[in-house]
Amino acid sequence: MTRRDLVASAAVAGITGAAQAQPATPAPGSQPVRNVVLVHGAFADGSGWRGVYDDLTHRGYRVSIVQNPLTSLAEDVAATRRILDRQDGPAILVGHSWGGTVITEAGVHPKAAGLVYVSALSPDVGETTAQQYEGFATPPEFVLDTGADGFGFVKAENFKAGFAADASDADAAFMRDSQVPIAMSVFGTKLAQAAWRTRPSWAVIATDDKAFDQRMLRHMASRIGAKVTEIAASHAVFMTQPKVVAAVIDEAAQHAVRAAR
């Protein structure tokens, strides 16, 4: 049985109706993977990871946050590789939403020991991100507003419902008004690498995510053989459920090297 078969079997056993956050316990000093690199998705920036950052640093991890320019896949991958280059050992690479495409391409980096997809995309080699949507219906709450220059925002009046329904009104408003637009052309770029083929993967699926069809999220997680954790949360799960997300990253750090063997 291959590593992917083993991980796929674990994924079936690991799918749950809802996840409960585990108490934050320090990572053992002997643990091989003690670095974490967080990659944000479209319409957001790295500040949304603050809760996850705080939890993981409390556990003793060295956490780095990528600030994607969101101008092209190549430039987002370069930004991620730049941070991976700075790690002092193996790292868990984490991506939210579009960040999943980025870690899929960048995760072949020799310091990437495992991948965590947080309501994230995971194309294969030769596929585009846009192809992942084929056969699935995006919920009506998620509406984009694309300008003449080809950069897209989440439509302001739909932002809370479509992106951050479980955030406070104040937090959702701040995220809405601090959006980082993405070049919509990135969704048509074919991937040259698919790190999930050689790295163990974990997936956090937000069951109230209105940016993706739930069937799409589960299909992608199953295809890559990810161990799945489900949690009732919006697309902004990386910000609204930091303890659950951090617990999955901690699990990945504890088991990535062993799973890869």
Side-chain angles (χ1 to χ4, degrees):
M1 185 176 285
T2 66
R3 184 204 66 77
R4 249 192 103 206
D5 292 330
L6 288 169
V7 176
S9 297
V12 174
I15 295 177
T16 58
Q20 298 297 320
Q22 298 299 314
T25 55
S30 59
Q31 186 173 299
V33 182
R34 299 180 60 80
N35 298 312
V36 176
V37 174
L38 305 173
V39 183
H40 67 81
F43 319 114
D45 67 14
S47 64
W49 290 112
R50 181 59 189 267
V52 173
Y53 172 91
D54 288 346
D55 187 296
L56 291 173
T57 54
H58 178 70
R59 294 174 190 256
Y61 289 99
R62 176 178 181 252
V63 183
S64 302
I65 299 172
V66 176
Q67 294 286 10
N68 284 324
L70 301 181
T71 48
S72 71
L73 175 59
E75 289 179 355
D76 286 358
V77 168
T80 301
R81 290 184 61 88
R82 196 171 296 122
I83 299 302
L84 283 168
D85 287 342
R86 294 173 59 84
Q87 303 307 301
D88 60 4
I92 297 300
L93 188 56
V94 185
H96 171 251
S97 193
W98 159 255
T101 294
V102 178
I103 70 170
T104 298
E105 181 81 19
V108 295
H109 191 286
K111 289 183 179 177
L115 309 170
V116 177
Y117 291 84
V118 182
S119 266
L121 296 148
S122 53
D124 200 354
V125 174
E127 292 181 350
T128 68
T129 301
Q131 284 178 268
Q132 309 315 298
Y133 294 82
E134 293 176 359
F136 302 103
T138 302
E141 293 88 346
F142 194 75
V143 181
L144 299 183
D145 182 9
T146 303
D149 63 354
F151 280 79
F153 294 81
V154 179
K155 200 169 185 179
E157 53 266 42
N158 294 82
F159 189 90
K160 183 170 171 62
F163 196 99
D166 57 343
S168 69
D169 288 346
D171 285 345
F174 182 81
M175 294 182 75
R176 177 197 67 209
D177 295 338
S178 62
Q179 285 189 68
V180 182
I182 188 167
M184 299 301 291
S185 60
V186 303
F187 297 102
T189 304
K190 290 184 178 181
L191 272 71
Q193 308 284 346
W196 51 260
R197 288 191 167 276
T198 56
R199 305 296 196 276
S201 300
W202 286 258
V204 177
I205 293 178
T207 59
D208 297 325
D209 193 327
K210 299 303 182 184
F212 296 131
D213 187 324
Q214 289 294 305
R215 296 173 303 141
M216 173 182 164
L217 287 170
R218 294 187 179 101
H219 168 74
M220 291 187 293
S222 175
R223 182 174 75 157
I224 70 175
K227 182 177 180 182
V228 175
T229 296
E230 296 192 355
I231 179 67
S234 72
H235 189 61
V237 58
F238 73 113
M239 185 188 79
T240 63
Q241 293 291 336
K243 291 188 179 301
V244 172
V245 174
V248 174
I249 296 168
D250 179 49
E251 178 187 353
Q254 292 182 46
H255 300 290
V257 173
R258 183 171 61 193
R261 288 173 182 168

